[in-house]
Amino acid sequence: MAKTAFKDSKSDVSVEEKLRALFKLQQIDTKIDKIRTVRGELPLEVQDMEDDIAGLEVRLNKLTEEVKEYENELSNKKNAKKDAQAAIKKYEAQQSKVRNNREYDSISKEVEFQKLEIELAEKRTKEAEYQLTIKTGLLATIQGQVDDKKKELEIKQRELKEITDETQAQETELIGQSEKAQKHIDERLLTAYHRLRKNFRNGLAVVAVERDACGGCFNQIPPQRQMDIRQHKKVIVCEHCGRVLVDKAIDPDYAE
């Protein structure tokens, strides 16, 4: 395959050479685009699934902490109930030894207070048990979602790896060619080229005239304008889509 010759100084490069270099760059980038199209939406799907799993795992960690808090609260309330019951027994034993009504009433108040503590502990226990049941169920549900998504992610990752392995060497080589080609194009033209590529889904910023029409938007090009394009004296863009227009003869290696 013939190689495009470039001059050392970009300022000395003719318009024809600029157009040839730009068209070569477009052909290289188009090959890269085709390789990435083969991969389809897999990279984005894999990234989305990884993000989903990360978000679910954050929820799992939060729920796990909440479950531990409710378990600790249950343990504390059960211990508080036991302590109150033990205190009641102690106070009731003291009641049989009191010497007057004042001491008896004082101990009775302590017994009543401990009974209230038991009621409160039982209420808090029921609340904690209810919340623990909900949180535990939710924890199991989300864990199931994470497990399912991880299995699906493994499948997608294998598919992506297989496709990537098949095309990685070729893509790496083409990226190197693209970077090399860009060094021979002046900054202003290169910036316009990248901007145009972003504007079109197919990434075509530089197109050849095909059957008297723009190779990008397929609108007809007047004969006089086609003649100007063939002369390679200036950069000409499509009046309809703004793509840079070249004729196929500018690159002998161009294949339709």
Side-chain angles (χ1 to χ4, degrees), residues 47-57 146 149:
Q47 183 61 57
D48 287 343
M49 291 183 71
E50 288 174 343
D51 292 342
D52 288 344
I53 290 171
L56 287 171
E57 286 180 336
V146 170
K149 283 187 176 290

Side-chain angles (χ1 to χ4, degrees), residues 119-138:
E119 289 179 7
L120 182 60
E122 288 175 342
K123 180 182 178 182
R124 293 285 186 262
T125 297
K126 288 180 181 178
E127 291 173 353
E129 286 174 341
Y130 175 73
Q131 290 296 330
L132 186 59
T133 300
I134 292 176
K135 300 294 182 183
T136 302
L138 188 56

Side-chain angles (χ1 to χ4, degrees), residues 17-183:
E17 288 172 312
K18 288 180 180 180
L19 289 170
R20 185 177 294 114
L22 203 60
F23 193 37
K24 274 288 186 185
L25 175 61
Q26 177 67 79
Q27 291 176 74
I28 294 168
D29 287 342
T30 296
K31 290 177 182 177
I32 295 172
D33 292 342
K34 286 180 179 177
I35 288 173
R36 291 174 177 172
T37 299
V38 170
R39 295 175 194 160
E41 299 295 322
L42 266 179
L44 291 176
E45 288 179 22
V46 167
Q47 183 61 57
D48 287 343
M49 291 183 71
E50 288 174 343
D51 292 342
D52 288 344
I53 290 171
L56 287 171
E57 286 180 336
V58 168
R59 287 192 67 192
L60 273 180
N61 291 334
K62 185 178 179 182
L63 278 170
T64 299
E65 290 300 317
E66 290 177 358
V67 166
K68 287 180 181 178
E69 289 175 6
Y70 283 118
E71 287 175 342
N72 289 335
E73 186 175 353
L74 274 176
S75 178
N76 292 336
K77 294 308 175 187
K78 287 177 181 178
N79 289 333
K81 184 177 177 179
K82 288 179 181 178
D83 291 342
Q85 289 171 335
I88 289 173
K89 288 181 180 180
K90 182 185 72 172
Y91 289 131
E92 287 177 342
Q94 289 176 358
Q95 277 183 327
S96 62
K97 301 176 183 178
V98 297
R99 294 186 295 269
N100 52 56
N101 289 338
R102 183 180 174 184
E103 290 181 3
Y104 184 87
D105 290 341
S106 177
I107 293 173
S108 295
K109 287 181 181 179
E110 290 294 339
V111 170
E112 287 300 319
F113 175 76
Q114 294 302 324
K115 287 181 178 179
L116 289 174
E117 285 291 303
I118 290 173
E119 289 179 7
L120 182 60
E122 288 175 342
K123 180 182 178 182
R124 293 285 186 262
T125 297
K126 288 180 181 178
E127 291 173 353
E129 286 174 341
Y130 175 73
Q131 290 296 330
L132 186 59
T133 300
I134 292 176
K135 300 294 182 183
T136 302
L138 188 56
L139 190 65
T141 299
I142 295 176
Q143 184 63 63
Q145 291 175 351
V146 170
D147 293 341
D148 290 342
K149 283 187 176 290
K150 282 185 175 180
K151 289 177 183 176
E152 188 178 351
L153 177 61
E154 287 177 6
I155 295 171
K156 294 290 185 182
Q157 286 174 329
R158 282 199 298 271
E159 291 177 6
L160 180 58
K161 185 178 186 303
E162 288 173 3
I163 295 173
T164 301
D165 288 346
E166 291 174 2
T167 58
Q168 189 63 58
Q170 185 183 5
E171 182 182 6
T172 300
E173 181 182 354
L174 287 169
I175 289 173
Q177 291 178 16
S178 176
E179 292 172 349
K180 185 177 179 181
Q182 290 181 52
K183 293 178 182 178

